[in-house]
């Protein structure tokens, strides 16, 4: 179990942190060794997402949903810009990735207990003022991330097999 070096981490946050870390590791594997062209390539044409887009969106959404779950300030987020991500330099993108992953981790690194019934809002959704419980936000954060990890893994497999649109 991950405890972020502390014994006071709420068990729900601790479990979420462990799951988050596994998903971040899978995203890192999907990125490993990719050139800028490979990170920007859309595997099945213009209506599909590149690895860079998938990962930018996945981490942006994860941090936002985790923030709702933890009742912390929701980071400034431009969801539309996530889908316009283009990598110029893989090293710079990897540095951004590590910073974004650390931002996601930091939300769960709290001494506060998880309050599943706490209500917040997710202003980037189609119903920005609709109430969302912390429990829903936490589960959605991890489910949504996992979905995009699967997309990234498949996109990487296509790259490794030399499949182009």
């Amino acid at each position: 179990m991950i405890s972020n070096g502390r014994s006071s981490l709420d068990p729900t946050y601790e479990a979420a942190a462990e799951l988050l870390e596994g998903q971040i590791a899978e995203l890192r594997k999907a990125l490993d060794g990719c050139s800028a062209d490979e990170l920007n390539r859309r595997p099945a044409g213009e209506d599909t997402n590149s690895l860079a887009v998938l990962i930018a969106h996945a981490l942006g959404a994860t941090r936002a949903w985790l923030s709702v779950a933890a009742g912390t300030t929701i980071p400034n987020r431009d969801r539309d810009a996530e889908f316009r991500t283009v990598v110029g330099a893989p090293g710079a993108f990897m540095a951004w990735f590590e910073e974004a992953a650390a931002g996601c981790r930091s939300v769960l690194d709290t001494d506060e207990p998880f309050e599943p019934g706490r209500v917040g809002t997710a202003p980037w959704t189609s119903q920005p003022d609709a109430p969302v419980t912390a429990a829903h936000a936490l589960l959605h954060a991890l489910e949504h991330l996992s979905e995009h990890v699967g997309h990234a893994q498949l996109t990487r497999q296509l790259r490794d097999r030399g499949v182009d649109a």
Side-chain angles (χ1 to χ4, degrees):
M1 295 284 247
I2 294 174
S3 66
N4 295 346
R6 301 189 331 238
S7 61
S8 60
L9 193 63
D10 179 278
T12 301
Y13 285 138
E14 185 173 2
E18 185 175 341
L19 293 169
L20 175 68
E21 201 57 44
Q23 296 303 301
I24 288 170
E26 290 300 316
L27 288 177
R28 191 178 293 109
K29 281 199 280 188
L31 291 170
D32 186 48
C34 288
S35 67
D37 180 60
E38 290 165 334
L39 291 170
N40 295 322
R41 185 174 299 136
R42 295 176 183 269
E46 288 303 309
D47 61 339
T48 60
N49 292 312
S50 68
L51 267 175
V53 165
L54 287 169
I55 290 170
H57 171 66
L59 291 179
T62 298
R63 182 155 185 201
W65 281 108
L66 290 175
S67 296
V68 173
T72 61
T73 302
I74 297 169
N76 290 332
R77 177 178 179 220
D78 185 346
R79 184 182 185 279
D80 293 338
E82 293 165 6
F83 289 94
R84 295 189 303 269
T85 299
V86 175
V87 173
F93 187 74
M94 285 305 298
W96 171 87
F97 170 83
E98 294 300 344
E99 184 177 320
C104 291
R105 285 184 201 102
S106 73
V107 176
L108 299 176
D109 188 17
T110 178
D111 291 326
E112 299 298 318
F114 181 62
E115 297 177 33
R118 182 188 325 100
V119 175
T121 60
W124 59 90
T125 66
S126 61
Q127 297 180 321
D129 297 321
V132 178
T133 65
H136 175 89
L138 181 62
L139 293 172
H140 184 71
L142 296 171
E143 175 268 338
H144 184 260
L145 176 59
S146 181
E147 178 181 350
H148 287 309
V149 167
H151 294 151
Q153 289 168 327
L154 179 57
T155 300
R156 176 60 190 247
Q157 288 172 0
L158 292 171
R159 173 253 187 204
D160 290 348
R161 287 170 176 77
V163 176
D164 281 325

